[in-house]
Amino acid sequence: MTVAQPNAVGSPGYAAEVPCVRDSVGLARAFISQVLAVWGMDDDVTGWGKIIVTELLANAVEHTETPVSRIHIERPSNGAIRIGVSDRSHDAPHLKTADLNAESGRGLSLVAAMSSQWGYDMHSWGKDTWAVVETPVGRER
């Protein structure tokens, strides 16, 4: 995993590049946990962040042929974190209604339920899928 330094200007943030394979989900979760610990976030916020990055990276692994994904986390304000996963696909993510017996297809629904907003930004090189989690004031450790 290649880890970038904090942003010098703008929102504080960190980024890491991981191979776009299922085995990288654990690396992504550990990365998010480490950043949220540095920021002093409580266990609930850390849990939400780990689930969100798991689902976003799993979507990149499942639905793209990207060799490397970029995981990034920013803190646009004291009351919010923004987690994103970048890939080289130009296919827009979309919410599905999974069959009750389906073993998959609920990832973005989980992301939508756990975040105050989610979305994606298209770029010439691919897309960035992201989610914002509101962190109640005083939830820091």
Side-chain angles (χ1 to χ4, degrees):
M1 172 169 49
T2 304
V3 179
Q5 296 299 313
N7 295 338
V9 178
S11 302
Y14 295 88
E17 290 184 348
V18 297
C20 193
V21 296
R22 288 204 179 277
D23 289 345
S24 294
V25 171
L27 294 172
R29 291 170 64 92
F31 171 69
I32 294 298
S33 291
Q34 290 170 350
V35 172
L36 293 175
V38 166
W39 288 340
M41 294 293 149
D42 72 12
D43 292 340
D44 287 341
V45 173
T46 300
W48 300 329
K50 288 167 45 176
I51 291 170
I52 287 169
V53 78
T54 296
E55 296 304 331
L56 294 180
L57 183 56
N59 278 351
V61 169
E62 180 72 24
H63 301 292
T64 75
E65 294 182 13
T66 300
V68 175
S69 285
R70 184 172 184 266
I71 313 300
H72 51 93
I73 181 169
E74 300 170 345
R75 193 171 182 186
S77 71
N78 283 337
I81 59 170
R82 184 180 191 269
I83 297 170
V85 173
S86 300
D87 62 57
R88 293 186 183 197
S89 172
H90 287 96
D91 294 334
H94 59 278
L95 289 171
K96 294 181 189 177
T97 303
D99 181 81
L100 290 176
N101 296 321
E103 294 183 11
S104 64
R106 295 176 183 83
L108 285 179
S109 294
L110 279 172
V111 170
M114 299 182 88
S115 63
S116 57
Q117 57 182 322
W118 78 276
Y120 61 92
D121 300 317
M122 289 293 184
H123 303 280
S124 60
W125 47 262
K127 72 176 172 302
D128 178 44
T129 307
W130 52 266
V132 174
V133 174
E134 299 296 327
T135 58
V137 177
R139 292 294 296 262
E140 293 87 6
R141 289 185 209 159

